[in-house]
Amino acid sequence: MTTVHEPSQAKITEFEDNDQKPVGFGRMLRKEDARLLRGRGRFVDDVQLPGMLHLAILRSPFAHATIVSIDTSAAEASPGVKAVVTGETLKGLGLAWMPTLSNDVQAVLATDKVRFQGQEVAFVVAEDRYKARDALELIDVEYDVLDPVVDVRKALEPDAPIIRTDLEGKTNNHVFDWETGDEAETDAVFARADVIVKEDIVYPRVHPAPMETCGSVADFDPVEGKLKLWSTTQAPHAHRTLYAIVAGLPEHKIQVIAPDIGGGFGNKVPIYPGYVLSIVGSIVTGKPVKWMEDRSENLISTGFARDYIMRAEIAATAEGKILGIRTNVLADHGAFNGTAAPVKYPAGFFGVFTGSYDLEAAHCKMTAVYTNKAPGGVAYACSFRITEAVYLVERIVDALAYELAMDPAELRLKNFIQPEQFPYATKTGWVYDSGDYEPTMRLAMEMAGYDELRKEQAEKRARGELMGIGISFFTEAVGAGPRKDMDILGLGMADGCELRIHPTGKAVVRLSVKTQGQGHETTFAQIIAEELGIPPDDIDVVHGDTDNTPFGLGTYGSRSTPVSGAAAALVARKVRDKAKLIASAMLEVSVADIDWVKGSFQVKGDPGKAVTIQEIAFKAHGAGDLPEGIEGGLEAQICYNPSNLTYPHGAYICVVDIDPGTAEVKVRRFIAVDDCGTRINPMIIEGQVHGGLTDGVGMALMEMISFDEDGNCLGASLMDYLIPTALEVPDWETGFTVTPSPHHPIGAKGIGESATVGSPPAIVNAVVDALKPFGIRHADMPLTPSRVWDAMRGQATPPI
Amino acid sequence: MQVPAPFEYERATSVDQAIGLLERLGSSARLVAGGHSLLPMMKLRLANFEYLIDINPLHSELGYIRLGDDEVRIGAMTRHRELLESEILADVFPIFRDAEKVIADPIVRNRGTLGGSLCQADPSEDLSAVCTTLDASCVIRGTAGERVVTMEEFHVGPYETAVQDNEILTEIRIPRKNFRAGSAYAKVERRAGDWAVVSAGAAVWLDDGRIVDARVGLAAVGPNTTGIPEISAALRGNEPSEDLFQLAGAIAARSCDPSTDTRGSADYKRHLADELTRRTLRTAVERARS
Ligand SMILES: Cc1cc2nc3c(=O)[nH]c(=O)nc-3n(C[C@H](O)[C@H](O)[C@H](O)COP(=O)(O)OP(=O)(O)OC[C@H]3O[C@@H](n4cnc5c(N)ncnc54)[C@H](O)[C@@H]3O)c2cc1C
């Protein structure tokens, strides 16, 4: 099932191929890039409507405080101001609270008290964004400051201040308890293990920080009763349905348009108060209203990611056979539980923490709590908490290797799930569709020159130099998901797709998913091209507008190709089936006597007698009768319900050097071998991998949203919240293997998040490996020079 | 988009005209040079001024690097990029190029100025540390004429300088000594373009293999960039050696006053003061010898 390819040498010659435009899969330049690179993209902030007003939000300076009073009179009198709205006004409209994606509620504007710094308190609508912003200064809010809950470990202490006083009868800060696996079985394997290794592992709070911040333009037409909403959303259809439910507007009178989106990474999955406020602003003023948050607002108030404190334990035999893993997690969910995950999965897909290994038992217990921090969770390219799961298992496996004095590559190879075990049911209830791990691992080791690297390391250690080699091997679970198990607020996670072939053989395909930079306009055109033999340039990909696309749940969790990609392939096959009937009539032979050869139907044994898909399309719309029972036109639609998730995997190897004097970490090399099944456009895949690896360097070495003891966010600008630049990353070395998904029509798995999920453990493992001479077995991210220096002196501390 | 509070804006036509405007508008006005420190603060509304006087039109008047026999004069409007690219400067004071390579990014360096950097008086400002290391003096002009102050006098406190509301910094003067000179700069940052966790500059002057003078300047380890006279005293008259650098490093570590923040712990910063002092002295001596 597996084919192993040579590592791709991304040299100049390959880029020449990009212009060759395959009719189907292969490298080609992205169709959307001509527009995006020439400044012809149209983002939400580019939307200009006649008479449009601007909205600015007043936010709480405190993490926890009662609102005593709000005086808006001076703001209302400020020049150019059209409306000032507070929570009290919204309360009157029944709009002060809205549901979150996890069946909690979140304040649209605070009424009783504020629960995190940056929370929305009031808004101003004015003639321009300057006047709106100036008027915010004139709103006088009197706060009565309360003690905040900042330290997540203290959130459940009996005397902790109660954050969610809005929830009736709530007497603590508990959100949920969650458990997976078998505790008794796991305890039993731990009891007979030769070695048990335990580590406390923190995955700090980070932020997706997309280049484009969140925003919207709402245009409510009071005559038609129709609301048009341009917004930065990764899930336009899901948002529309939720607006219908929240605002009580009829769904057919709401049009959500996601134009070009400047990066999402999960940050644009939730509905933020700002979107709702722009709608309220438009209804109140009768004018189109634009809201565009600034960078600080984005960093302090929108969906964060991670924030898990994990106790990990691994049990093994003395020979290095892993028996079981158990973990206890404390999850910080911020002030409202805004986690974006299928409802039956409050911890997302964290259950895959057993990784790529064949274990006898596993168990996880998790407690989630409220704190006075921004809500969110499960954002940032994490495949619904798989980032945390992979980090946990890959870190603890390395700690085991340390304890057993075994090579970490060898330990992994010894414990992999074997190819014949697939489909593989894990001890926590997941069924891995396909995988062949060893060739992937071996390819990465070969590309890295693993044995040579270890030799070099030994020589350097002898000279007192610090060099580290880190490995991570991950299995992802993406493509949510089967509707029997997975829904978001009751909406099943199946995706629609519509395909129409025009009379001249050009085509339009309409998708429910929405690219934020992933290249859908190219990838989906290539999927249709592969199935129908129509060149990708002849296929228009329409997405992001709910009035013009079929229903589906959007783009996140690497689900576009696994779900909508399958829908696109199948809808094309439906069209092809119909085309075959028309072709048989055109060729005057029976359907049994014709073959599909990409792009045309040919008479068996007589390739000279053939009709192309373009000719068939014209016939389908043209003059003259069609065969009996065949309607005119050549189009189809479908709604695809995946039977399982897809499980991509990969082997990553990172080489770091640490300056022993300053403790600065330099990522010298990074080898990433990914297996995402069938590869549609290798160039797009590499782009996704490069971006994700860069994310990984950021999280491992510098990114963290931290708070002071008063709950002030210390990462409120990009000077404070660091994201990596080209100077922090090496020349990526990428390779691949191909293990198709058995249940996906073209065998493709997701790739969007693999590198973000897989790279942080490789980098941290490399740093910890470099610090081995100091007797270090674990150090937490972010591995800033100061924190590495602490570790070198045996004083590593958790970041929170 | 972050938007500043309303302000009025005027482009300066000459140094004297700018001083006249400052005289008239007082503390409600601010000069804007590269704007890379001032504008972010205004956009975050940490600073609100009624008037901005743009001195970029004075670049032709105040943007220069002039090499004299006993001093180098650099105009306040000289941009980071010009300092980075100047061969004259790299030749006599390589510390400038070392520092400019690690200050911000090309976009900031294209606009940010020497004068703005010094006047911002951020304790982490790299060029302040460079000027401290080189014992520079600052030329300040007002209606009453010019005065010249040392770097110690120039920096009154964090974000505070000797430049009054109605004055403008016009020039930096760096003395040249008649000995073999070497200088170097090193910085530890969490990421390229970030402000220093700690940085250090060193300059040495050798005569007959002995140190006739040496100076060390540190950034980000106290309320202002810090020059350390005790190090100069310890080095003077000695032959350069690892032991001597170690001594200098130890003095640096104990003389500075860092605080713990998101960039690092005070202990770590103290360690860096030591480590970077040794490194820059080593390089400076190598350069003086070659
Ligand atoms: C992303 C980023 C990264 C940075 N990284 C670094 C770094 O790593 N190291 C570093 O040292 N700096 C760094 N800086 C700061 C940068 O060097 C600034 O350009 C510099 O601090 C200020 O220079 P400016 O010309 O832009 O000053 P402006 O912002 O224009 O002015 C700063 C202050 O000085 C006053 N002023 C300016 N010129 C004069 C004058 N001639 N006389 C009197 N007052 C004057 C202004 O009124 C204002 O109060 C960074 C800046 C940014 C935006």
Side-chain angles (χ1 to χ4, degrees):
Chain A
M1 192 196 250
T2 302
T3 39
V4 179
H5 291 246
E6 288 304 302
S8 70
Q9 300 291 329
K11 296 290 176 256
I12 301 298
T13 47
E14 278 203 4
F15 294 117
E16 286 167 5
D17 293 351
N18 292 334
D19 273 341
Q20 290 182 0
K21 306 230 169 135
V23 181
F25 302 159
R27 303 182 81 85
M28 67 175 263
L29 291 177
R30 303 198 319 170
K31 290 172 58 175
E32 47 269 76
D33 282 348
R35 170 176 92 244
L36 296 172
L37 295 177
R38 290 174 193 172
R40 296 272 172 148
R42 190 165 185 250
F43 297 84
V44 170
D45 208 8
D46 294 322
V47 174
Q48 298 293 348
L49 300 176
M52 188 175 77
L53 302 174
H54 294 262
L55 185 148
I57 297 174
L58 182 72
R59 294 176 182 277
S60 167
F62 302 111
H64 200 193
T66 306
I67 297 177
V68 180
S69 64
I70 306 184
D71 181 354
T72 58
S73 50
E76 278 160 29
S78 179
V81 169
K82 301 293 180 191
V84 183
V85 174
T86 66
E88 285 306 315
T89 324
L90 289 192
K91 213 166 159 185
L93 301 168
L95 281 177
W97 294 85
M98 63 177 185
T100 69
L101 294 177
S102 285
N103 280 319
D104 192 357
V105 290
Q106 168 173 7
V108 180
L109 288 179
T111 44
D112 49 347
K113 59 177 187 174
V114 289
R115 293 175 171 83
F116 66 93
Q117 187 190 47
Q119 187 180 340
E120 299 78 1
V121 173
F123 73 83
V124 170
V125 179
E127 280 165 359
D128 62 47
R129 58 178 78 188
Y130 297 91
K131 291 185 176 118
R133 179 67 183 77
D134 291 345
L136 292 185
E137 317 265 305
L138 303 173
I139 300 176
D140 189 11
V141 187
E142 194 190 329
Y143 293 99
D144 198 354
V145 178
L146 303 168
D147 283 339
V149 180
V150 181
D151 183 346
V152 61
R153 293 179 182 85
K154 296 189 178 148
L156 291 181
E157 285 182 0
D159 59 345
I162 313 292
I163 298 166
R164 297 302 300 279
T165 42
D166 58 295
L167 300 174
E168 230 179 278
K170 191 85 189 146
T171 55
N172 58 28
N173 295 315
H174 183 260
V175 186
F176 63 79
D177 284 323
W178 177 80
E179 203 175 337
T180 188
D182 189 315
E183 186 168 19
E185 242 176 55
T186 309
D187 288 349
V189 303
F190 271 76
R192 63 181 159 83
D194 301 322
V195 194
I196 295 176
V197 177
K198 183 161 97 181
E199 250 351 314
D200 284 325
I201 297 174
V202 176
Y203 210 133
R205 178 177 280 236
V206 293
H207 197 278
M211 198 186 296
E212 177 202 35
T213 57
C214 299
S216 54
V217 176
D219 185 10
F220 181 73
D221 179 338
V223 177
E224 298 288 335
K226 174 144 184 168
L227 171 70
K228 266 186 163 189
L229 183 76
W230 287 262
S231 74
T232 50
T233 171
Q234 300 177 216
H237 288 279
H239 277 199
R240 174 169 69 167
T241 306
L242 293 181
Y243 290 128
I245 294 167
V246 175
L249 293 168
E251 195 168 359
H252 68 296
K253 296 281 192 185
I254 304 174
Q255 181 182 9
V256 173
I257 304 165
D260 284 322
I261 302 292
F265 314 104
N267 190 236
K268 291 165 182 169
V269 173
I271 291 187
Y272 294 118
Y275 301 147
V276 179
L277 298 181
S278 69
I279 298 171
V280 174
S282 181
I283 293 174
V284 169
T285 60
K287 294 273 168 60
V289 168
K290 178 185 281 184
W291 164 67
M292 204 69 218
E293 69 189 2
D294 65 33
R295 178 61 60 192
S296 297
E297 292 182 287
N298 179 256
L299 285 168
I300 64 174
S301 74
T302 64
F304 71 94
R306 327 284 190 254
D307 223 344
Y308 268 20
I309 297 184
M310 308 180 276
R311 167 151 300 173
E313 288 179 278
I314 191 165
T317 66
E319 296 74 42
K321 176 76 194 83
I322 303 173
L323 302 172
I325 297 178
R326 64 186 172 201
T327 174
N328 217 306
V329 180
L330 179 61
D332 186 340
H333 278 240
F336 307 101
N337 184 17
T339 294
V343 278
K344 287 185 202 153
Y345 300 81
F349 299 169
F350 186 76
V352 301
F353 68 87
T354 54
S356 315
Y357 311 108
D358 186 22
L359 308 182
E360 292 180 19
H363 180 245
C364 168
K365 241 189 201 158
M366 178 181 296
T367 299
V369 299
Y370 292 119
T371 59
N372 287 113
K373 300 173 195 166
V378 190
Y380 205 172
C382 74
S383 311
F384 299 126
R385 301 282 192 196
I386 293 178
T387 339
E388 290 91 322
V390 164
Y391 183 63
L392 173 101
V393 56
E394 289 308 292
R395 197 70 275 293
I396 198 69
V397 164
D398 249 44
L400 176 65
Y402 179 102
E403 223 41 55
L404 294 169
M406 230 174 127
D407 184 280
E410 193 192 325
L411 178 61
R412 286 176 170 85
L413 284 163
K414 191 169 183 153
N415 286 283
F416 280 151
I417 300 163
Q418 295 302 305
E420 63 278 6
Q421 289 178 279
F422 290 91
Y424 178 84
T426 73
K427 296 296 174 198
T428 48
W430 302 78
V431 180
Y432 293 4
D433 60 345
S434 65
D436 191 357
Y437 297 160
E438 183 168 341
T440 311
M441 184 73 181
R442 297 262 178 225
L443 177 57
M445 291 170 72
E446 180 198 317
M447 285 169 65
Y450 188 73
D451 296 338
E452 289 304 308
L453 284 173
R454 286 286 174 206
K455 260 185 234 150
E456 181 192 345
Q457 181 183 41
E459 285 163 23
K460 289 203 159 144
R461 273 195 185 148
R463 294 200 298 265
E465 291 170 40
L466 303 178
M467 165 185 169
I469 305 157
I471 297 173
S472 102
F473 193 97
F474 63 89
T475 298
E476 269 245 81
V478 301
R483 54 193 301 167
K484 67 176 174 349
D485 299 325
M486 294 179 190
D487 67 270
I488 294 209
L489 290 183
L491 298 171
M493 302 186 81
D495 281 0
C497 188
E498 294 170 9
L499 175 63
R500 178 189 301 169
I501 316 298
H502 302 307
T504 57
K506 315 288 184 198
V508 54
V509 60
R510 299 173 193 278
L511 311 174
S512 62
V513 287
K514 170 66 207 169
T515 182
Q516 313 116 46
Q518 294 91 337
H520 288 179
E521 288 168 37
T522 310
T523 295
F524 282 84
Q526 289 185 268
I527 294 174
I528 304 292
E530 181 75 24
E531 296 294 334
L532 290 180
I534 299 173
D537 276 347
D538 288 355
I539 301 164
D540 191 21
V541 177
V542 175
H543 57 152
D545 179 342
T546 54
D547 272 11
N548 290 306
T549 54
F551 186 86
L553 275 222
T555 294
Y556 43 84
S558 302
R559 67 185 296 281
S560 293
T561 299
V563 187
S564 274
L570 293 178
V571 81
R573 287 178 195 172
K574 251 180 142 172
V575 161
R576 202 167 71 200
D577 288 346
K578 178 172 179 182
K580 187 171 191 179
L581 300 175
I582 300 171
S584 98
M586 290 170 78
L587 294 165
E588 297 177 325
V589 293
S590 108
V591 284
D593 289 331
I594 53 178
D595 281 332
W596 171 253
V597 179
K598 199 195 264 186
S600 61
F601 282 105
Q602 299 179 356
V603 176
K604 278 194 171 125
D606 187 1
K609 274 191 80 181
V611 282
T612 65
I613 186 75
Q614 289 81 1
E615 288 163 345
I616 299 168
F618 202 84
K619 178 72 188 170
H621 295 88
D625 275 336
L626 291 168
E628 189 145 345
I630 304 284
E631 289 175 10
L634 193 54
E635 52 190 272
Q637 65 177 49
I638 196 177
C639 182
Y640 176 77
N641 175 31
S643 58
N644 188 8
L645 303 175
T646 67
Y647 293 78
H649 66 269
Y652 290 178
I653 299 179
C654 174
V655 183
V656 301
D657 297 303
I658 299 179
D659 182 324
T662 62
E664 290 166 290
V665 176
K666 173 99 196 140
V667 179
R668 189 208 310 171
R669 286 182 67 197
F670 200 105
I671 296 90
V673 178
D674 271 285
D675 190 324
C676 59
T678 302
R679 294 159 64 82
I680 299 162
N681 183 332
M683 188 180 70
I684 288 183
I685 292 172
E686 284 159 17
Q688 293 286 292
V689 171
H690 288 187
L693 297 176
T694 307
D695 265 353
V697 169
M699 291 181 285
L701 300 184
M702 62 193 78
E703 292 184 28
M704 173 163 170
I705 294 282
S706 51
F707 296 84
D708 68 13
E709 56 194 24
D710 296 325
N712 295 310
C713 178
L714 301 179
S717 81
L718 292 180
M719 294 292 278
D720 303 299
Y721 184 72
L722 297 182
I723 50 177
T725 73
L727 292 175
E728 278 74 43
V729 303
D731 226 0
W732 306 115
E733 300 168 64
T734 55
F736 62 96
T737 55
V738 177
T739 313
S741 168
H743 64 82
H744 188 281
I746 57 173
K749 301 178 175 183
I751 188 65
E753 298 160 312
S754 288
T756 312
V757 166
S759 56
I763 300 162
V764 175
N765 286 346
V767 171
V768 172
D769 183 51
L771 299 181
K772 205 169 182 178
F774 301 93
I776 303 300
R777 204 177 70 182
H778 177 66
D780 280 316
M781 303 184 277
L783 291 164
T784 59
S786 184
R787 294 177 48 77
V788 172
W789 188 68
D790 286 346
M792 283 165 66
R793 292 175 316 132
Q795 295 175 6
T797 47
I800 45 171
Chain B
M1 186 175 73
Q2 264 140 340
V3 292
F7 60 85
E8 287 185 39
Y9 171 90
E10 182 142 355
R11 286 171 75 78
T13 52
S14 71
V15 172
D16 289 332
Q17 180 252 7
I19 292 170
L21 283 171
L22 287 173
E23 181 78 34
R24 186 149 60 78
L25 300 169
S27 63
S28 64
R30 260 292 189 285
L31 298 177
V32 59
H36 275 297
S37 290
L38 188 61
L39 298 186
M41 289 197 305
M42 290 175 65
K43 286 163 102 182
L44 292 170
R45 301 203 178 204
L46 297 173
N48 296 311
F49 298 104
E50 284 173 53
Y51 303 93
L52 280 196
I53 301 164
D54 185 349
I55 54 173
N56 281 286
L58 309 187
H59 180 257
S60 50
E61 195 178 340
L62 294 181
Y64 54 81
I65 299 168
R66 288 183 195 132
L67 183 69
D69 282 342
D70 43 6
E71 65 183 6
V72 176
R73 295 182 170 204
I74 309 177
M77 280 304 292
T78 309
R79 304 204 191 268
H80 287 302
R81 180 183 166 173
E82 292 163 328
L83 297 171
L84 174 68
E85 291 176 354
S86 163
E87 292 303 332
I88 301 175
L89 217 47
D91 199 33
V92 290
F93 297 123
I95 183 174
F96 268 104
R97 185 166 287 176
D98 285 357
E100 286 295 357
K101 278 184 182 164
V102 291
I103 292 176
D105 50 51
I107 299 160
V108 173
R109 292 198 296 255
N110 281 341
R111 297 292 291 174
T113 64
L114 173 61
S117 297
L118 264 51
C119 291
Q120 183 62 25
D122 187 307
S124 307
E125 203 79 54
D126 290 299
L127 286 184
S128 297
V130 169
C131 289
T132 301
T133 304
L134 294 177
D135 199 13
S137 48
C138 307
V139 182
I140 300 170
R141 200 193 296 176
T143 30
E146 259 179 24
R147 58 200 179 101
V148 181
V149 301
T150 64
M151 282 303 291
E152 282 72 29
E153 293 160 345
F154 184 80
H155 279 145
V156 178
Y159 308 101
E160 235 188 304
T161 68
V163 182
Q164 301 301 305
D165 284 342
N166 57 0
E167 289 181 319
I168 171 168
L169 173 70
T170 54
E171 187 179 87
I172 305 302
R173 294 179 185 163
I174 303 167
R176 297 186 68 194
K177 300 180 189 174
N178 229 344
F179 304 103
R180 297 184 74 107
S183 60
Y185 196 76
K187 171 175 172 178
V188 169
E189 52 191 0
R190 294 171 302 171
R191 187 205 66 190
D194 188 24
W195 292 84
V197 178
V198 171
S199 46
V204 295
W205 291 267
L206 300 184
D207 188 19
D208 219 11
R210 280 185 184 279
I211 297 174
V212 278
D213 199 6
R215 292 178 60 87
V216 168
L218 301 175
V221 287
N224 271 125
T225 55
T226 323
I228 304 169
E230 195 187 336
I231 294 184
S232 307
L235 297 183
R236 256 182 235 124
N238 287 306
E239 225 169 89
S241 69
E242 274 305 312
D243 285 348
L244 201 59
F245 301 152
Q246 204 173 328
L247 172 69
I251 298 173
R254 83 171 123 77
S255 319
C256 65
D257 185 20
S259 50
T260 296
D261 58 19
T262 51
R263 290 203 164 72
S265 67
D267 280 351
Y268 173 63
K269 292 180 185 181
R270 228 177 255 288
H271 163 77
L272 285 184
D274 174 0
E275 179 72 28
L276 298 185
T277 295
R278 280 186 281 145
R279 286 187 186 189
T280 48
L281 277 172
R282 206 177 287 139
T283 312
V285 166
E286 269 166 32
R287 284 175 176 166
R289 281 175 175 158
S290 64

